[in-house]
């Protein structure tokens, strides 16, 4: 049976981060490198990486919209 552990949450965050960066780069036309740097400095990532927020359970489109909004304002 699957157990939700700190390790599985961290692995999930890593996978979600990779997906969000790739999607944001494709949708914004910016380079993956530029988007990666912006993502890891963003509030969206800070929320995602904090297990207390539970953002790793949120819908991917919602998280992507949150980050794209931040990216557009930077």
């Amino acid at each position: 049976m699957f157990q939700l552990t700190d390790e599985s949450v961290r692995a999930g965050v890593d996978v979600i981060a990779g997906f969000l960066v790739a999607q944001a780069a494709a949708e914004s036309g910016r380079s993956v490198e530029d988007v990666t740097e912006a993502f890891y400095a963003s509030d969206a990532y800070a929320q995602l990486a904090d297990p207390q927020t539970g953002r790793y359970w949120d819908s991917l489109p919602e998280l992507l919209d949150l980050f794209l909004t931040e990216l557009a304002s930077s």
Side-chain angles (χ1 to χ4, degrees):
M1 178 190 325
F2 176 75
Q3 297 271 332
L4 186 62
T5 63
D6 289 343
E7 185 178 333
S8 62
V9 169
R10 282 191 303 272
V13 166
D14 289 345
V15 170
I16 293 166
F19 172 79
L20 294 175
V21 165
Q23 283 297 116
E27 292 187 26
S28 69
R30 295 169 72 168
S31 72
V32 171
E33 293 81 9
D34 182 42
V35 173
T36 299
E37 185 176 318
F39 182 70
Y40 285 112
S42 73
D43 288 334
Y45 177 69
Q47 291 178 31
L48 175 64
D50 180 354
Q52 299 302 313
T53 67
R55 294 293 284 191
Y56 52 87
W57 284 119
D58 289 349
S59 78
L60 293 182
E62 181 181 324
L63 291 169
L64 180 60
D65 286 344
L66 177 68
F67 176 56
L68 286 172
T69 299
E70 265 189 87
L71 191 60
S73 68
S74 65

